[in-house]
Amino acid sequence: PFNAEEVLAREQTHLELKKAREEIKMMNLIKTRFFSIMTHDIKDALTGVKGVAEFLHDELQNKTIDIEEIKKLSNLLLSDSTELYRFVTGLIKWEHIETEITLPAIIPFNAGKMLDELLQDLEPLWKEKKITIQKSLPAKQTLFTSKITVKDILAELLKNAIKYSYEGGRVSITFEKEQ
């Protein structure tokens, strides 16, 4: 009634299923730890933003703060909230990549408009260092590629250019069409 090969195959399947269950438990534990760390990081960042906002609010209510301090604190709030937004956006992108493998959408988009949006997002960083931004690109430069990928790459390049530029320096951005 019992076939030795069949029993061995069932035992092998049982062992493989047990190993797979253990791996899933381990992955879930890692995921739980990851999300715990992420939520603490987000909470810490929000605590800082909230603290500055409360201080600014109280000082404005008591009229004990000057305009220069307000500018400094509002730049800090803008910069910190922008970084927090990017952090959360990155988590969302990561989650999307993990849950569904997709090909990038190849669509036409206006490169100049995208650049202006990025520079506006990064304005607190380059204004704080008194950096001059110099742009040179053809009017209505249209790109046919993955907008998300180009935007992510360009954002990182701009952040690094600003970060590593001297105070009062200049960042030049040039778009050229390949011949």
Side-chain angles (χ1 to χ4, degrees), residues 127-145:
K127 285 223 172 170
E128 182 180 333
K129 289 182 76 173
K130 299 177 179 85
I131 292 174
T132 303
I133 303 293
Q134 181 181 355
K135 299 185 303 183
S136 173
L137 62 151
K140 295 184 180 181
Q141 176 67 50
T142 301
L143 298 179
F144 294 89
T145 188

Side-chain angles (χ1 to χ4, degrees), residues 4 18 20 37 48 75 79 96 99 101 104 108 122 138-139 143 148 155-156:
K18 183 178 178 182
I37 291 167
N75 279 338
S79 177
H96 180 70
T99 58
I101 297 177
L122 297 171
L143 298 179
I148 294 170
E156 288 304 313

Side-chain angles (χ1 to χ4, degrees), residues 13-29:
T13 301
H14 175 72
L15 292 174
E16 288 172 2
L17 287 173
K18 183 178 178 182
K19 182 180 177 186
R21 277 195 288 282
E22 289 172 5
E23 287 176 2
I24 288 171
K25 282 182 184 178
M26 182 59 77
M27 285 185 212
N28 281 332
L29 180 63

Side-chain angles (χ1 to χ4, degrees), residues 34-47 84 87:
F34 173 77
F35 281 113
S36 175
I37 291 167
M38 292 300 105
T39 54
H40 279 84
D41 286 350
I42 291 169
K43 183 180 178 187
D44 290 346
L46 285 174
T47 300
L84 185 58
F87 178 73

Side-chain angles (χ1 to χ4, degrees), residues 22 24 41-42 52 59-60 112 119 125 135 151 153 166 170 174:
E22 289 172 5
I24 288 171
D41 286 350
I42 291 169
V52 172
E59 293 296 310
L60 286 170
L119 289 173
L125 300 176
K135 299 185 303 183
K151 188 172 185 176
I153 292 168
Y166 294 107
R170 180 181 70 192
T174 305

Side-chain angles (χ1 to χ4, degrees), residues 80-95:
D80 287 353
S81 62
T82 300
E83 284 302 311
L84 185 58
Y85 178 81
R86 282 198 187 95
F87 178 73
V88 171
T89 301
L91 285 176
I92 292 167
K93 286 180 185 176
W94 175 79
E95 186 273 335

Side-chain angles (χ1 to χ4, degrees), residues 50-66 70 73 77:
K50 185 176 184 271
V52 172
E54 287 173 348
F55 176 79
L56 186 58
H57 177 266
D58 292 346
E59 293 296 310
L60 286 170
Q61 295 298 317
N62 298 329
K63 299 180 182 173
T64 57
I65 191 168
D66 65 22
I70 291 171
L73 290 172
L77 280 174

